[in-house]
Amino acid sequence: AEQRAAVLHDLGKSLAPLGPLRRVWATLGLPCTREMRLYREHEALGAAMLAEISAQRTLEVLRMLAGDPAGEALRTADDL
């Protein structure tokens, strides 16, 4: 489940097709378009996309909640 979460954690980005410059713009939190807002919410969107087909543990890790070692490790790795 943890490995699946690591592979799938950016799935929501597919709903916001942005080039490199617009991804940086969205990440910095600057004024944005609808696609940039979707990009900022990609983690929640990806979890929603997987809600019906993924194991509960995979979804828990994808939420990256504090106190879940696998979720915390995924967030740390994602921030590198």
Side-chain angles (χ1 to χ4, degrees), residues 12-25:
K13 288 181 181 178
S14 66
L15 299 175
L18 301 175
L21 184 58
R22 291 178 63 194
R23 285 180 184 215
V24 170
W25 190 273

Side-chain angles (χ1 to χ4, degrees), residues 7-8 14 16 41 46 49 55-56 59-60 78:
V7 170
L8 296 170
S14 66
E41 300 170 7
M49 291 168 69
Q56 184 62 35
L59 297 172
E60 290 170 1
D78 197 38

Side-chain angles (χ1 to χ4, degrees), residues 59-76:
L59 297 172
E60 290 170 1
V61 176
L62 284 172
R63 290 187 187 99
M64 299 184 207
L65 299 175
D68 180 345
E72 289 176 354
L74 180 56
R75 176 157 314 277
T76 299

